[in-house]
Amino acid sequence: MNDNKSGRICRKYYIPIATRRALDQKDGKLPLNVPLIRLAEMYLTRAEASYHTTGDALGDINIIRARVKLDPKTGISGPTLLKQIYKERRLELAFEGLRLFDIRREKDPTTGKRVIEGLMGPNGTFVQYNLNSTDPYETTNLREAQDKGINFNPAKNLLWPIPQLEIDLSGGLIKQNPGY
């Protein structure tokens, strides 16, 4: 944005002055590293892929556990191994903003249903917790409904609507997802 009085470009930097590095470029962008994906996430993604292809994922889980000096897991296979991968992912990537995507993607290995189906809906554990909670923050928070998520319908809410423009451009080859 140009300053009308002096013709200078005004910039706001959201990094404290003491921690700023010199600008290498004159375009106003700070040359800071932004982590896009962590190595631990790569190992856990590979572990999940290995589980679904070869069934052997303990090596990748144990690499993650060794980094934080935890005992290695041994002798785990089948659905228990997949649950362990999900647990390691939940613990390792906590507070990084990925949990909702995992909840939508992951399936319970024993029932075959998506994890989000057990949390949302009229009998979902997330909804039941909120409805029966005695936590003052939950009961006095007027910004969010106590029964948030009660109307979750897996037949509809696990799919996004396809934009009408895309359906029109396909000449009718693409059909709208059910429920929309």
Side-chain angles (χ1 to χ4, degrees), residues 83-128:
K83 285 183 178 182
Q84 184 64 40
I85 294 168
Y86 291 161
K87 181 180 179 182
E88 291 292 332
R89 187 172 178 86
R90 186 177 71 243
L91 296 174
E92 181 67 32
L93 304 175
F95 306 110
E96 294 188 18
L98 301 173
R99 184 69 182 137
L100 180 60
F101 298 108
D102 288 344
I103 288 171
R104 289 177 179 160
R105 178 184 57 80
E106 293 172 358
K107 288 185 177 180
D108 184 348
T110 54
T111 64
K113 290 185 174 183
R114 295 201 183 269
V115 173
I116 196 168
E117 291 182 54
L119 298 171
M120 301 296 197
N123 298 317
T125 55
F126 173 77
V127 176
Q128 291 303 315

Side-chain angles (χ1 to χ4, degrees), residues 99-100 103 114-135 137-139 141 144-152:
R99 184 69 182 137
L100 180 60
I103 288 171
R114 295 201 183 269
V115 173
I116 196 168
E117 291 182 54
L119 298 171
M120 301 296 197
N123 298 317
T125 55
F126 173 77
V127 176
Q128 291 303 315
Y129 171 80
N130 285 339
L131 290 175
N132 300 321
S133 177
T134 57
D135 180 3
Y137 179 77
E138 295 290 339
T139 57
N141 183 4
E144 190 172 276
Q146 285 291 113
D147 63 351
K148 183 177 181 181
I150 201 165
N151 295 323
F152 178 81

Side-chain angles (χ1 to χ4, degrees), residues 14 17 24-25 40 46 54 57 98 105 107 112 142 160 163 175 179:
Y14 296 99
I17 293 172
D24 295 332
Q25 303 169 353
R46 186 171 72 176
T54 63
L98 301 173
R105 178 184 57 80
K107 288 185 177 180
L142 302 178
W160 291 85
K175 303 292 182 205

Side-chain angles (χ1 to χ4, degrees), residues 32-104:
L32 298 176
N33 294 329
V34 178
L36 299 176
I37 190 167
R38 290 183 42 218
L39 183 60
E41 185 178 0
M42 298 285 291
Y43 279 120
L44 292 168
T45 301
R46 186 171 72 176
E48 191 173 344
S50 297
Y51 170 81
H52 289 295
T53 54
T54 63
D56 180 37
L58 280 176
D60 290 325
I61 291 174
N62 288 332
I63 289 171
I64 301 296
R65 294 179 64 83
R67 182 183 57 84
V68 291
K69 298 176 179 60
L70 290 174
D71 294 332
K73 294 285 183 176
T74 58
I76 302 173
S77 62
T80 308
L81 177 57
L82 186 58
K83 285 183 178 182
Q84 184 64 40
I85 294 168
Y86 291 161
K87 181 180 179 182
E88 291 292 332
R89 187 172 178 86
R90 186 177 71 243
L91 296 174
E92 181 67 32
L93 304 175
F95 306 110
E96 294 188 18
L98 301 173
R99 184 69 182 137
L100 180 60
F101 298 108
D102 288 344
I103 288 171
R104 289 177 179 160

